[in-house]
Amino acid sequence: MSSVVRSAVTGVGAYLPEEVVTNDDLAKMIDTSDAWIFERTGIRQRRRAAPDQATSDLAVEAAKRALEVAGRRPQEVDLIIVATTTSDLTFPATAAIVQRKLGVPVCPCFDVQAVCSGFVYAMSVADGFVARGLSRCAVVIGAEIMTRLMDWTDRGTCVLFGDGAGAVVVEPISGTGEGTDRGILGFALRCDGEKQDLLYVDGGPTTTGTVGHLRMMGREVFRHAVVNISEAVLMAADRASVKVADIDWFIPHQANQRILDGVAKRLGIPESKVISTVAMHANTSAASIPLAFAQGVEDGRIRPGQLLLLEAMGGGLTWGAVALRL
Ligand code: ACO
């Protein structure tokens, strides 16, 4: 058995803004109801960032908590990747702002833009640095203020999203190259730009000169989600040399409970192995996986040595999955 370097997750942390917005709160603003939203999505409430909070503020809080759990100081961090679709500014990257606010020394800092799949994409990039010996203490963050991209007159989208941030610390660890190793074991990343019109934001610096609002063809997105995600999960598991049946915890992007249930059913994963936070957080895009991950660790369900499967699908369309052992 040969010795290989693996990228181990050594700390997980999360941050949610204080304000809770329930479905009933939304029903006071737009023509909707708790029953409609809950039946179709499983969402009960979401968090909304305060007007003076930017995405980097949420990201910094999540990163601080993940570093604390990992027993690392900001001065030891040598790579920051922020997965976000709601950056503070068009540039610099939110990761550069996070670096300044955390007091991290000069190192590579950049954002990954793959919308809801951003965290999965960012983990694969971090693995590239850590497993090749280019980083000894990477911080990977998913952070979003999705409520700022909403068209609050479009009840078909504005009820679905929320704000938050989650982060992991990734460090090198030696392994055997087998599926029994700790660390990131395999991933699958996909994008089909032909399906851009199903989910996008209708603004940008070089088109409208505005930030824009999120637009979605919900039914079409739903139709692709279960098939695409299942395909990526099987590909990631195969590359990781693990079986889907051996997964301890399935940590999906929290878009919609019906998508979570559909994917789990298709893959034969029992409901008891699925971490679901969609009821409390709604869809926080790139933040939803690390938020759910942190929740599972904090409440004691997810434990060291367990096999985890992270998956997502989002605008692009992008989708993907990561298999890792904690
Ligand atoms: N409250 C009440 N009624 C509503 C609301 C609302 N918030 N939104 C839409 N409706 C109405 C529509 O106007 C329509 O009324 P009509 O029949 O009189 O015209 C009716 O409900 C049905 O609308 P649809 O859009 O067809 O509703 P559907 O059953 O498809 O549910 C939903 C919409 C929940 C968005 C669903 O398509 C879905 O879950 N899609 C998945 C998309 C998703 O989760 N995207 C997240 C981003 S992508 C990702 O992260 C994977």
Side-chain angles (χ1 to χ4, degrees):
M1 253 183 257
S2 59
S3 173
V4 298
V5 179
R6 296 286 202 183
S7 312
V9 172
T10 56
V12 189
Y15 171 78
L16 287 163
E18 263 174 46
E19 190 192 359
V20 174
V21 181
T22 64
N23 293 345
D24 287 331
D25 293 333
L26 291 181
K28 288 176 200 146
M29 293 165 47
I30 53 168
D31 183 13
T32 190
S33 66
D34 177 53
W36 193 97
I37 300 169
F38 185 71
E39 270 164 31
R40 281 173 179 76
T41 68
I43 296 167
R44 287 283 191 204
Q45 63 173 54
R46 71 285 295 138
R47 299 295 184 105
R48 183 161 53 198
D52 63 350
Q53 282 183 310
T55 294
S56 63
D57 295 317
L58 278 53
V60 162
E61 291 308 314
K64 277 185 189 164
R65 289 172 199 187
L67 284 166
E68 210 176 287
V69 172
R72 295 280 171 211
R73 292 173 298 119
Q75 291 71 24
E76 295 175 274
V77 173
D78 59 10
L79 170 68
I80 300 175
I81 306 175
V82 176
T84 188
T85 196
T86 52
S87 51
D88 289 24
L89 300 167
T90 300
F91 79 76
T94 303
I97 301 171
V98 169
Q99 178 196 31
R100 173 175 58 77
K101 288 181 177 174
L102 273 177
V104 167
V106 171
C107 67
C109 299
F110 55 91
D111 293 355
V112 165
Q113 161 58 300
V115 202
C116 300
S117 311
F119 189 76
V120 165
Y121 270 65
M123 287 294 276
S124 77
V125 179
D127 186 39
F129 277 81
V130 174
R132 293 189 64 209
L134 299 172
S135 167
R136 297 201 59 78
C137 184
V139 175
V140 183
I141 307 167
E144 302 276 19
I145 301 187
M146 293 304 285
T147 56
R148 306 248 169 98
L149 288 183
M150 294 302 117
D151 172 353
W152 290 98
T153 65
D154 177 9
R155 64 179 182 170
T157 53
C158 71
V159 301
L160 303 174
F161 293 88
D163 306 334
V168 296
V169 176
V170 183
E171 300 181 55
I173 191 172
S174 66
T176 63
E178 308 287 320
T180 47
D181 284 349
R182 276 186 68 198
I184 295 175
L185 302 174
F187 52 82
L189 305 177
R190 318 287 283 154
C191 178
D192 181 358
E194 291 290 340
K195 304 210 167 52
Q196 175 191 325
D197 291 350
L198 303 189
L199 179 56
Y200 65 102
V201 168
D202 63 1
T206 60
T207 49
T208 59
T210 62
V211 172
H213 292 118
L214 184 142
R215 305 295 174 203
M216 180 175 71
M217 293 163 71
R219 285 200 173 206
E220 284 297 299
V221 172
F222 199 106
R223 208 166 60 76
H224 289 286
V226 175
V227 176
N228 285 351
I229 292 167
S230 303
E231 174 222 12
V233 167
L234 292 173
M235 195 183 288
D238 186 54
R239 289 175 176 171
S241 305
V242 299
K243 291 194 186 69
V244 171
D246 296 334
I247 291 165
D248 292 296
W249 291 106
F250 189 59
I251 312 176
H253 164 52
Q254 309 283 320
N256 180 310
Q257 188 62 45
R258 288 190 298 154
I259 297 178
L260 268 62
D261 293 344
V263 173
K265 192 172 167 209
R266 193 176 173 99
L267 294 170
I269 298 170
E271 202 187 320
S272 57
K273 287 186 174 183
V274 181
I275 305 280
S276 175
T277 55
V278 69
M280 305 303 279
H281 301 168
N283 184 345
T284 57
S285 187
S288 92
I289 292 176
L291 272 168
F293 193 169
Q295 173 79 55
V297 170
E298 268 167 37
D299 65 27
R301 281 180 292 172
I302 300 176
R303 293 188 303 277
Q306 290 183 327
L307 183 61
L308 314 179
L309 202 301
L310 287 44
E311 58 83 345
M313 190 184 100
L317 292 179
T318 54
W319 64 101
V322 177
L324 70 91
R325 194 177 298 282
L326 193 58

